Amino acid sequence: MEIKVNYLDNLRQEAKFDDFAVIADQPIRYKGDGSAPGPFDYFLASSALCAAYFVKVYCQARNIPTDNIRLSQNNIVDPENRYKQIFKIQVELPSDISEKDRQGILRSIDRCTVKKVIQTGPEFIIEEVESIDADAQALLMPNLASESSTFIAGKDLPLEETIANMSSILAGLGMKIEIASWRNIVPNVWSLHIRDAQSPMCFTNGKGSTKESALASALGEFIERLNCNFFYNDQFWGEEIANAEFVHYPDEKWFQPGPKGELPAEILDEYTREIYDPENELLGTHLFDTNSGNTQRGICSLPFVRQSDGETVYFPSNIIENLYLSNGMSAGNTLAEAQVQCLSEIFERAVKREILEGELALPDVPEEVLAKYPSIVQGIKGLEEQGFPVLVKDASLGGQYPVMCVTLMNPRTGGVFASFGAHPKLEVALERSLTELLQGRSFEGLNDLPKPTFSSNAVTEPNNFVEHFIDSSGLVSWKFFSAQADYDFVEWDFTSQGENANADEAKTMFDILKDMGKEAYMAVYKHLGATACRILVPDYSEIYLVEDLILDNTNKALIFREDILNIHKLDDEQLEALVERLEDVEADDYTDIVTLIGIEFDDNTAWGKLTILELKLLIYIALQEFEEAKELVEQYLQYNTNTVERGLFYQCLNVVLEVELDDELDLNDYEANFRRMFGDERMDAVIGSMDGSIRFYGLTETSIKLEGLDRHLRLIDSYKKLHAARAKAVNLAD
């Protein structure tokens, strides 16, 4: 994690990281102002807080209340060496906690991350640099030996060279990549989380049987998502980019809808129009680009090559953004390597969907077949030793597709997790299933798995597949666990040998799609210095429903974005029009405004937690339409997931509205005790909101220029690096 320090007045300092800022000071006796804890105080507190966190996690997993658990830490200083200290952590437990859980709680404290880092002994490197942002990839794996040559299936270059190449590309783009966490809870299963230190919203996870393969996986995913603009999906890229020579890619084209909003003839082809517009309801006006919001330019469309005949077909960026998410994108040392990864993911997700929604039962992989892969068996054994039964299934549907499945059961909670993996080589597909299962997860995290169900409706509901796509946390049917498999086990193999193995394997998978009657469309991206591709298989690789293009298109942001960002400047007539649109929009009242308008607000602000419901409520208050506001306040308080402070503000507002709307009540009779209950500051905010002297309490003023929205501006700065690299690549080519 990158922590940047700013000097404030006197000895006060500000440490900034992610969306947080921590102020440190020194005691008055050390010439400070004593206005905040000192750096060493934060250090001491971190281990106590970390220990308390692990106690909480242990207790939550076992439904043990923590109300009467007390924890303290004292540091005992050696009188002869003040740098030698004993941290004494004490925990007071209620008498009704069992002896087993008492020992479990003590063991959980022993797992404290801060404690383990201190005990291991961190290494400090202190150096001067010309620029803090230089040496961008020094935070990765300094001990990785570049002279080593570790080859794994599917990679056209050694892992070490792959990592070095990708790190160099990211450094050249000005991306400072840091490793936020590692996981290795069972043998031969590694995962990690990496992110851009300057824009932490840009992050990926990697997985593999070794730490090197996991790092290569994470870096590859990072580069693929940069190339395909996935980190910036649904977000507003600002007016500068919206009006630039190009918005997404230099080869994009913009087409105007017809006179009545019809689809322009230049986009899509006959095959895709039948899929995306089966009822002839889709209009060009549905397909305006969300990222630029520039409807005057028309429909931003990106070129893809139809694999059946090599023809170029233009896909609106809106369709890609709304339907496909990250499915079918990959980066590789070569195009063929990237294609194999793309197609493997497409088959993995499509076959997974067919199995889950069809409530199919899969055949077990025989023990003698599993025994051929001892490192995978070791990982499975590690899980079973921790009390998690594991089922290893053949998901190829009778040898049709290169897909495997590893399913974990948690007898402690009754939850299950079906993890799928795909690759032309059975061993790699099986390894991916296992590593995907544990990617970023601790043993405690396996306590949150959903329980199987016999409810077919719950399993086949479209959002269940979306949950499976995001983190495999969707529901699984009990029928999946039947001993009567719907297919026989096949020890399949889709691999090829020789120098062109990846190219041959890609062709094999393209041929499978062809035999299914599916068209595939591919775009190749090399502007950023890496080879990446995106493959679309309409009517097969979508994550969201095609109907969403009409019913739940992300570009509904365009009718709200500017007004919401300018809300403090709107007059009553404009506010009435805005709240009317909010009442009519096809979105749940609890949809957050971040999602609605594609703006990244700081999570810790009122903007960051703002929902459609709360925004409507604040507008009605501003318009002094108190009856409408009262109804929404009650709804808000019933399902409030905001901060305690925000909840108390609305509790106060609710009772004041109650008085305001009752002709027999007078606020003067209650104000004194309302102030005693809610405090003067909160009461003043409520009264000011109702008399119009305070508008949109808690929402800091901004505009379509995005001033003050540091989190979102960091995201745009990140995208501008890609935009500049693409423009430079095109200029060099010319």
Side-chain angles (χ1 to χ4, degrees), residues 614-629:
E614 186 182 356
L615 181 59
K616 289 193 299 187
L617 156 56
L618 289 171
I619 294 173
Y620 283 129
I621 289 292
L623 293 171
Q624 297 195 321
E625 296 181 12
F626 296 141
E627 289 188 5
E628 290 84 351

Side-chain angles (χ1 to χ4, degrees), residues 562-572 574-575 578 607 610 615 618-619 622 646 694-703:
E562 186 166 0
D563 278 352
I564 289 176
L565 290 174
N566 289 326
I567 196 162
H568 292 85
K569 302 180 181 70
L570 302 185
D571 60 29
D572 285 358
Q574 291 169 318
L575 286 175
L578 173 58
W607 275 113
L610 187 67
L615 181 59
L618 289 171
I619 294 173
R646 201 72 175 157
I694 296 175
R695 286 166 66 84
F696 305 104
Y697 175 69
L699 302 182
T700 55
E701 194 164 341
T702 185
S703 76

Side-chain angles (χ1 to χ4, degrees), residues 229-300:
N229 293 339
F230 182 73
F231 290 137
Y232 320 96
N233 215 36
D234 304 345
Q235 306 300 324
F236 177 47
W237 295 349
E239 293 181 316
E240 181 184 343
I241 296 292
N243 295 295
E245 187 175 348
F246 65 90
V247 173
H248 293 258
Y249 300 99
D251 57 357
E252 69 193 24
K253 289 187 178 181
W254 296 73
F255 304 108
Q256 292 293 335
K260 296 182 180 180
E262 301 95 338
L263 295 177
E266 297 92 342
I267 65 171
L268 304 175
D269 58 12
E270 185 177 347
Y271 176 82
T272 51
R273 283 177 181 247
E274 289 180 5
I275 291 169
Y276 299 138
D277 189 23
E279 304 296 330
N280 293 318
E281 296 176 320
L282 187 65
L283 297 174
T285 49
H286 287 124
L287 302 179
F288 288 133
D289 178 50
T290 304
N291 305 119
S292 68
N294 195 337
T295 58
Q296 298 302 311
R297 290 180 78 164
I299 301 167
C300 183

